[in-house]
């Protein structure tokens, strides 16, 4: 028996719950907090298998305060109305055995399984073991969303718990063993491969799945090796073929190499022959140098007497040159004095010339002044005549004023026109900016729409293709057709998209909305039947529901934290909004905040709303048919995927209309601007003409004034010139007096110059005598120097000859050393090494002269040059390929050996895996077929694969037939109905029951989609199969059962009751209830 802890009765509080066993023997008294624990009674019949569940205990878990369940060893029927807590027991089994919250498909966080309002919860599972029962405890902390684990009351880790559970072959994640209520539909969605894997893990021996994994790995490696061998074989053949093509080139290369080797040997001998020739030449030059050295010595001895006489003459000459130098100094001093006198005389001549020139300048200036006075008088006379002959100036002022007024009017019109041009240009710029902004806004809308369409294309390609077809074929429809709802919905705030996506199923989000049944049929025929696209379509109500008012104003709900109804969170076309209001009542579903979640119990009790959204959760409220109490369930909101991108199509159409209006206005402004520019040009030309006319009139008016001003200016200039006079006679007399004084000074200077010339002449005669004596000495010296130079020349030539010979000797010696070094380098010899014997032997067969060697070298080089087009890299690549071919052959042989080993391993593992698997599948098929036959239907299970060697493609195929007129069809999520899938799933699990090696199996509300006939048949099979000896424990959860069903003594029935008048656990007495029932039965009168 299982029951929840008692609670104080309050308005809207959830009713307490109890689970009652069917037989007294299986009754386990519940425990209240603080009560002394009671020892569980042993099971009434049968024996628990290893790993079966003996006890389930829960505290503050989902709907339970405190509850303890003691299941039987065979079939356990857990019965109770919807919302009483049946599936909570299933959740406790899963989470208590280290299962993940996602296995149940309810919530993704373990903290959500703790009862609302509590900070901690606990689940405890006791498993049967022959060596001693295993008690696993899980304490859940809501705040940290973490769990603490205990085994037999000792702290441990989740990993250790998982290992202990796996050791008992418990797999809560395997749908063949553990099938929660929210995962029933997923069983039919399992692929053949996934079903085989789940079946292997569930009922196959432990090594079967291991062998299967090994086979898949071996096969993958075998494929890799086969590919590698194939590639290497092809590559090896290409390498061999390529080397065959280059073989002849390689032979020609080696023929050329033999010639090159001979050339190398000739080039090696040539330095030795050249060295020997240079060495002989060196000896000859050395002997000639020694002979020239003796001749140099003889010539030097003959030069010594001439050198001594030349030194004596040089000493005498130095004395004469000193005397000549003194005389030259005296002559220089006297010459300087003469030069000074000459300079003074020239200066006096220059002064006379300057005075004469100044007088001539003054005479010229006076003549020029007289001429300018005459010209000015004549010019004044001409201007006065012109002034007299000019006509009286006519009155031009009225004409000037008229032209000025016309000019002012044109300028005003021009300014006004330019102002209008500036305004139009500003208006044009403003319109162009507006057009660019609107265009950019439209582009942003298009980009957002493309994002939504990209998401649709990635997730639902068929729907995307159908959208493209619809846009190209809208003319085929009579009334409006809306694209998929997810494209037409535009969220007012993206953060609210999660509410819409959680409220509207994905099938409807990608559905097309039609206003006409006929249009929908045309669309589906074309898209589904012809194009084979999987799409959804719905019809909007004939009368619009889009504007229907909610039953309760939003202002009444704001006190609970609600801020909007779902309908107000987005915009959509009228058919879409009408359909959503009619189908999903979005105008009746409010959206709240975190404040709503904090007071959710009060909200549910007072508002009686059927659906509620808080910040992160969705609440669905139902009324119990048993107690008329409210039952609520909550789920976490999933993250929005499609509606986060908002595109307001109405606004986009408005922007397009706005863009057209702006374009029209812009064209109008440009036309006006063109007309104004033409007008401005005409006004500019008119302005220029008037300015020119005004200028001419002003010039005519000012001509007389200009003539009078010129005459006045010329008279002033004439007066100034007449005042500036000069006396030429006085100036001539002054100049004659100054010239006479300068001539007297000049005569005195000439006398002094004559005396100095006489002195200078005497000094020159004395100097000439000394120079003649010096010349005689120089002549003698020159004769000696000539003789000395002849001997020196001969000595120099001899010394030069000696130097050349010595230099030649040094050069030949250096060349000998270089040739020796080069010869040794060519032969790779050290300084002290002798020529190797192989070189000496080779040199003997070669010519001994340079000419013969050069001739043979030329011949061999010519022969080697005949082998053109040969590339050393080809030979290197040829040899590398030869090595690579050898290496590749060895690698290929190794890979083939490895491949043979893998194939042998595959053959061995395949035999150990496939034969037992076929037997296992045959047993499943036999039982599955029998079950279906008993229901007058047909079904079979077989091992399916397209290629026997693709072990990762093996799978279990289930084929069923529920009507005699149809063929066997594979079980899929689409072909069979929900009830047929439930029957097939249940019968497959029953077929596994007797073969199963797992300790227990859980099936939650799988009979909900069955019709009464199938439900009765399946129930009988479950009872017969699960109550046999040596079968594993079985949990069958259902909210209701048909009447007059067969039951077995080995069954354990657990009732989960719900209501405000339930007894406290301490007051529960099943025996007393049975006695009271018997008394009522006995006291009833006979009918």
């Amino acid at each position: 028996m299982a029951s929840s802890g008692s609670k104080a009765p309050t308005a809207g509080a959830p009713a307490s719950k109890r689970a009652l066993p069917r037989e007294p023997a299986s009754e386990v008294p519940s425990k209240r907090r603080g009560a002394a624990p009671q020892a569980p009674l042993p099971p009434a019949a049968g024996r628990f298998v290893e790993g079966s569940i003996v006890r389930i205990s829960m505290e503050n878990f989902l709907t339970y305060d405190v509850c303890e369940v003691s299941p039987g060893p065979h079939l356990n029927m857990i019965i109770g109305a919807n919302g009483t807590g049946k599936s909570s027991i299933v959740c406790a089994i899963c989470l208590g055995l280290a299962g993940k919250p996602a296995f149940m498909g309810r919530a993704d966080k373990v903290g959500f399984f703790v009862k609302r309002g509590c900070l901690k919860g606990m689940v405890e599972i006791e498993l049967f073991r022959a060596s001693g029962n295993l008690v696993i405890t899980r304490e859940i902390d809501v705040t940290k969303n973490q769990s603490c684990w205990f085994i037999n009351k000792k702290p441990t880790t989740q990993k250790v718990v998982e290992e202990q559970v796996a050791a008992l072959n418990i797999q809560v994640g395997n749908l063949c063993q553990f099938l929660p209520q929210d995962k029933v539909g997923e069983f039919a969605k399992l692929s053949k491969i996934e079903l085989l894997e789940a079946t292997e893990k569930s009922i196959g021996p432990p090594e079967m799945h291991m062998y299967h994994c090994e086979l898949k790995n071996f096969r993958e490696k075998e494929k890799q090796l086969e590919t590698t061998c194939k590639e290497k074989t092809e590559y090896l053949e290409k390498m061999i073929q390529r080397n065959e093509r280059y073989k002849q080139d390689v032979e020609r290369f080696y023929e050329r190499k033999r010639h090159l080797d001979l050339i190398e040997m000739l080039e090696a001998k040539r330095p030795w022959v050249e060295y020997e020739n240079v060495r002989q030449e060196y000896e000859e030059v050395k002997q000639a140098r020694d002979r020239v050295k003796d001749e140099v010595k003889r010539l030097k001895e003959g030069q010594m007497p001439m050198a001594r006489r030349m030194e004596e003459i040089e000493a005498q000459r130095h004395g004469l040159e000193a005397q000549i130098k003194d005389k030259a100094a005296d002559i220089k001093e006297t010459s300087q004095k003469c030069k000074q006198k000459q300079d003074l005389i020239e200066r006096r001549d220059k002064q006379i010339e300057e005075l004469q020139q100044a007088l001539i300048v003054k005479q010229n200036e006076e003549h020029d002044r007289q001429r300018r006075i005459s010209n000015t008088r004549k010019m004044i006379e001409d201007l006065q005549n012109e002034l007299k002959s000019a006509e009286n100036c006519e009155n031009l002022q009225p004409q000037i004023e008229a032209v000025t007024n016309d000019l002012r009017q044109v300028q005003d019109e021009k300014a006004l026109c330019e102002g209008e041009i500036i305004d139009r240009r500003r208006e044009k710029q403003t319109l162009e900016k507006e057009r660019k902004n609107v265009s950019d806004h439209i582009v942003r809308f298009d980009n957002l729409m493309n994002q939504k369409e990209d998401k649709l294309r990635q997730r639902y390609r068929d729907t995307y293709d159908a959208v493209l077809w619809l846009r190209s074929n809208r003319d085929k429809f009579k009334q409006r057709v809306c694209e998929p709802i997810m494209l037409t919905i535009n969220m007012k705030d993206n953060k609210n998209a999660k509410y819409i996506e959680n409220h509207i199923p994905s099938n409807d989000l990608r559905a097309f909305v039609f206003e006409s049944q006929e249009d929908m049929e045309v669309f589906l025929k074309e898209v589904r039947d012809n194009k084979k696209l999987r799409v959804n379509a719905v019809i909007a109500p004939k009368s619009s529901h889009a504007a229907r008012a909610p039953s309760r104003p939003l202002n009444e709900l704001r006190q609970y934290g609600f801020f909007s109804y779902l309908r107000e969170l987005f915009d959509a076309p009228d058919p879409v909004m009408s359909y959503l209001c009619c189908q999903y009542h979005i105008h009746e579903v409010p959206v709240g905040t975190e404040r709503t979640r904090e007071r959710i119990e009060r909200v549910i009790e007072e508002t009686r709303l059927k659906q509620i959204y808080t910040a992160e959760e969705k609440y669905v409220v139902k009324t119990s048919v048993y107690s008329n109490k409210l039952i609520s369930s909550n789920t976490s909101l999933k993250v929005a995927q499609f509606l986060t991108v908002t595109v307001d199509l109405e606004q986009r159409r408005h922007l397009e209309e706005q863009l057209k209006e702006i374009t029209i206005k812009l064209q109008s402004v440009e036309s006006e601007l063109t007309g104004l520019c033409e007008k401005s040009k005409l006004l500019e030309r008119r302005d220029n003409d008037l300015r020119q006319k005004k200028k001419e009139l002003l010039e005519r008016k000012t001509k007389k004034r200009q003539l009078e001003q010129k005459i006045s200016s010329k008279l002033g200039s004439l007066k100034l010139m007449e005042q500036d006079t000069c006396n030429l006679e006085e100036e001539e007399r002054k100049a004659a007096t100054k010239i006479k004084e300068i001539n007297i000074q000049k005569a005195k200077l000439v006398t002094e110059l004559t005396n100095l010339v006489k002195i200078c002449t005497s000094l020159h005669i004395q100097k000439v005598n000394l120079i003649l004596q010096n010349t005689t000495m120089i002549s003698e010296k020159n004769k000696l120097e000539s003789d000395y130079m002849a001997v020196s020349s001969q000595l120099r030539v001899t010394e030069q000859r000696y130097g050349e010979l010595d230099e030649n000797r040094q050069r030949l010696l250096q060349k000998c050393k270089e040739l020796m070094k080069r010869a040794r380098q060519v032969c790779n010899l050290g300084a002290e090494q002798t020529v190797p014997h192989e070189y000496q032997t080779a040199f003997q067969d070669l010519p001994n002269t340079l000419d013969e060697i050069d001739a043979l070298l030329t011949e061999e080089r010519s022969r080697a040059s005949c082998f053109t087009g040969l590339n050393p890299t080809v030979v290197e690549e040829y040899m590398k390929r030869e090595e690579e071919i050898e290496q590749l052959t060895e690698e290929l042989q190794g890979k083939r050996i490895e491949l043979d080993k893998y194939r042998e391993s595959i053959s061995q593992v395949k035999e150990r895996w496939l034969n037992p698997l076929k037997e296992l599948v045959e047993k499943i098929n036999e039982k599955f077929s029998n079950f279906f036959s008993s229901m007058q239907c047909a079904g079979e299970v077989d091992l399916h694969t397209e290629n026997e060697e693709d072990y990762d493609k093996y799978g279990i195929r289930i084929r069923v037939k529920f009507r005699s007129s149809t063929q066997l069809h594979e079980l899929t999520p689409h072909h069979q109905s929900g009830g047929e899938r439930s029957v097939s799933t249940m019968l497959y699990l029953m077929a596994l029951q007797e073969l199963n090696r797992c300790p227990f199996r859980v099936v939650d509300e799988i009979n909900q989609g069955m019709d009464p006939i199938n439900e009765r048949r399946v129930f009988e099979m479950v009872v017969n199969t699960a109550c046999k000896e040596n079968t594993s424990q079985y949990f069958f959860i259902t909210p209701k059962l048909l009447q007059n069903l067969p039951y077995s003594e080995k069954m354990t029935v657990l009732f989960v009751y719900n209501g405000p008048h339930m007894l406290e656990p301490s007051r529960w007495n099943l025996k007393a209830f049975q006695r009271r029932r018997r008394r009522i039965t006995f006291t009833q009168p006979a009918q």
Side-chain angles (χ1 to χ4, degrees), residues 203-260:
I203 65 171
E207 66 275 6
M208 178 175 286
H209 183 64
M210 180 186 68
Y211 287 154
H212 192 185
C213 294
E214 287 182 2
L215 274 175
K216 289 189 282 189
N217 293 333
F218 285 162
R219 177 55 181 164
E220 184 65 26
K221 292 179 180 177
E222 181 188 16
K223 289 180 180 178
Q224 294 175 0
L225 286 172
E226 286 176 348
T227 303
T228 302
C229 289
K230 183 179 179 181
E231 291 174 353
K232 287 185 178 294
T233 302
E234 293 175 353
Y235 184 62
L236 180 60
E237 292 175 355
K238 290 180 181 178
M239 295 281 284
I240 294 172
Q241 293 173 1
R242 189 179 300 173
N243 263 17
E244 285 297 326
R245 288 198 301 269
Y246 293 117
K247 186 174 182 180
Q248 186 177 359
D249 291 343
V250 173
E251 291 176 353
R252 293 177 67 243
F253 178 83
Y254 282 113
E255 178 67 22
R256 178 174 177 271
K257 190 174 183 302
R258 284 193 291 273
H259 292 291
L260 294 177

Side-chain angles (χ1 to χ4, degrees), residues 5 169 176 182 201 249 256 284 309 323 338 345 401 431 616 631 678 721 836 840 884 921 938 957 977 1030 1041 1067:
N169 198 33
C176 290
D182 296 319
K201 291 179 180 179
D249 291 343
R256 178 174 177 271
E284 295 173 357
R309 178 56 186 162
Q323 293 178 13
C338 291
I345 292 171
E401 290 177 355
L431 289 173
E616 297 295 337
I631 300 173
E678 292 295 330
M721 285 187 290
Q840 295 178 7
E884 191 173 354
V921 173
R957 180 174 61 179
S977 66
N1030 300 323
L1041 288 174
R1067 297 173 57 191

Side-chain angles (χ1 to χ4, degrees), residues 407-420:
L407 181 62
R408 187 180 300 110
Q409 183 178 1
V410 170
Q411 288 176 345
D412 291 341
E413 292 180 5
K414 183 180 175 183
L416 181 61
C417 183
E418 289 177 351
E420 290 181 357

Side-chain angles (χ1 to χ4, degrees), residues 4-20:
S4 66
S6 61
K7 281 184 157 185
T10 58
S16 59
K17 303 178 174 75
R18 285 190 183 87
L20 303 178

